[in-house]
């Protein structure tokens, strides 16, 4: 099995100030890189690449910023404090990481399985081979990498190439997860938005940068503005595929960045306030202390005896301190957090005090229905890119292994295990199987409550056939035993020898 081949960006080249990376107008999704050229050849590939890199560099800086936010390097690091500068806490509440982790885990709670498309008469054995090869390539973990990038940066990037050691590895093609800071796709600017080329940034043994450019029929290596290598391929399509998170190519937490910064500011100022209160100033009004007396007082030592001054002014010792209303701050934090969860379509942990809530009411109230709806929306975007990936993967499989599958024969099914209202689902499922005018395949595909309905159908049919064979065998044995018993009885009833009357 080919290992994960993830092209990572050089961190040193991307470590820039957050203020330099984040544009003044904020973040509003990644830009689609396009070209007006109807065909990319050796004559124009360098020109097209140079134009595309300018747009990619802007995307690259924004992706680096979002990657830093996901890792906890957030804007609160730039917090400044004018009064008592030495007390300046910078607290990061990394809700961005929580959002990405939840959405990825919820969307991919089960592996993506390939089943026969509706209306197609696909050989199940071919689908079994396809799913086995995907398992050989550990596609489930690579899907997780892709979906993580989708939720962080707004898009993930994947590449598929023939496996030179396919005889030993099993799968005829290798699947690679690419870093979206170092890989991108160039699309035609016309209404078709056809992928024209996939670009991958690489580095040679001398750490010199060069670009690998894949079109639908050729591969170019370009270094210092010159083509250093050119060759053809038979993949039929661009082998680098982008997986956008949505039409705007925005990450999952990108839209709530101001709210995340607000929570960090509130929490940081709250800790500052506590520290200010603990380290409040002591004021000695009309009081003269001898040397060492204040140190004794601060360390819990002797008491200090004070008396009014000779001018008749009262002597006082008091502390200057102010403490913010903690409940007011917590109300503001909770309000921002609720808005973040609502906008991002995540469930909350508020619960409810009603004892008469049904399970469905709890799901609707606590936001799990929104989470499921967002996951289904992400499925549609993922599935569209998956078809482009399958087009290349199946071309390689058909060429090297005579698989005999086309993109239209295969449907990518998410196997998220949703046990919500499982009793009602099972009742509808059983009723569907009992209807003579609905094929079992349709019932399993449309109403099946299982994590993998296609596999459940295959195992169910196999189990049914085995039980039928056992029943038929049992009936035949009983029939044979019955015939044998009747034969013995008939034989015993026949007269023996001559009978005299």
């Amino acid at each position: 099995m080919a290992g994960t081949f993830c092209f990572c960006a050089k961190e040193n080249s991307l470590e820039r100030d957050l203020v330099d990376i984040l544009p003044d107008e904020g973040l509003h999704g990644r830009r689609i890189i396009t070209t007006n050229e109807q065909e990319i050849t050796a004559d124009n590939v360098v020109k097209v690449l140079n134009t595309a890199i300018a747009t990619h560099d802007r995307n690259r800086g924004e992706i680096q910023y979002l990657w830093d936010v996901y890792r906890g390097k957030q804007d609160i690091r730039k917090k400044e404090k004018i009064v008592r500068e030495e007390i300046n806490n910078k607290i990061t509440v990394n809700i961005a990481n929580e959002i990405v982790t939840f959405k990825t885990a919820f969307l991919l709670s089960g592996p993506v399985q390939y089943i026969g498309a509706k209306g197609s008469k696909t050989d199940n054995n071919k689908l079994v081979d396809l799913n086995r090869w995907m398992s050989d390539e550990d596609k489930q973990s690579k899907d997780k990498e892709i979906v993580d990038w989708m939720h962080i940066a707004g898009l993930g990037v994947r590449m598929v190439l023939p496996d030179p050691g396919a005889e030993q590895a099993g799968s005829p093609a290798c699947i690679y997860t690419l870093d979206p800071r170092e890989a991108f796709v160039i699309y035609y600017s016309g209404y078709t938005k056809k992928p024209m080329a996939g670009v991958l940034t690489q580095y040679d043994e001398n750490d010199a940068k060069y670009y690998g450019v894949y079109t639908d029929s050729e591969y170019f290596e370009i270094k210092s503005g010159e083509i250093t290598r050119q060759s053809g391929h038979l993949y039929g399509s661009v082998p680098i595929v982008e997986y956008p998170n949505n039409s705007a190519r925005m990450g999952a937490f990108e839209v709530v960045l101001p709210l995340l910064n607000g929570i960090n500011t509130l929490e940081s100022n709250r800790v500052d306030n506590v520290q200010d209160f603990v380290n409040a100033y002591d004021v000695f009004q009309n009081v003269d202390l001898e040397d060492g007396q204040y140190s004794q007082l601060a360390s819990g030592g002797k008491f200090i005896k004070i008396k009014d001054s000779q001018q008749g002014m009262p002597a006082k010792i008091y502390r200057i301190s102010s403490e913010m209303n903690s409940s007011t701050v917590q109300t503001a934090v909770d309000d921002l957090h609720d808005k973040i969860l609502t906008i991002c379509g995540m469930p909350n942990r508020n619960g409810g005090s009603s004892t008469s809530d049904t399970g469905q009411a709890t799901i609707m109230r606590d936001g799990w229905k929104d989470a499921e709806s967002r996951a289904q929306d992400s499925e549609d975007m993922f599935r569209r890119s998956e078809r482009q990936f399958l087009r290349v993967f199946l071309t390689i499989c058909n060429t090297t292994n005579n698989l005999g599958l086309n993109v239209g024969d295969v449907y990518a099914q998410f196997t998220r295990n949703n046990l919500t209202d499982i009793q009602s689902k099972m009742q509808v499922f059983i009723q569907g199987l009992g209807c003579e005018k609905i094929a079992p395949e349709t019932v399993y595909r449309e109403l099946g409550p299982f994590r993998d309905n296609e596999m459940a159908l295959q195992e169910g049919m196999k189990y049914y056939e085995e039980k039928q064979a056992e029943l038929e065998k049992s009936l035949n044995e009983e029939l044979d035993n019955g015939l044998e018993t009747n034969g013995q009885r008939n034989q015993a009833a026949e007269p023996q020898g001559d009978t005299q009357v």
Side-chain angles (χ1 to χ4, degrees), residues 84-110:
R84 302 192 75 177
E85 299 178 359
E86 71 279 6
I87 299 179
N88 187 15
N89 294 279
K90 301 170 183 179
I91 306 300
T92 298
V93 184
N94 202 344
I95 301 177
N97 188 287
E98 175 191 356
I99 293 172
V100 172
T101 302
F102 171 81
K103 284 187 169 290
T104 299
F106 189 77
L107 179 64
L108 296 177
S109 59

Side-chain angles (χ1 to χ4, degrees), residues 267-288:
E267 294 292 358
S268 299
N269 289 338
R270 174 188 284 181
V271 178
D272 286 348
N273 179 254
V274 173
Q275 194 169 350
D276 277 331
F277 181 78
V278 173
N279 298 325
Y281 289 108
D282 292 321
V283 178
F284 295 82
Q285 180 178 337
N286 298 322
V287 176
D288 291 329

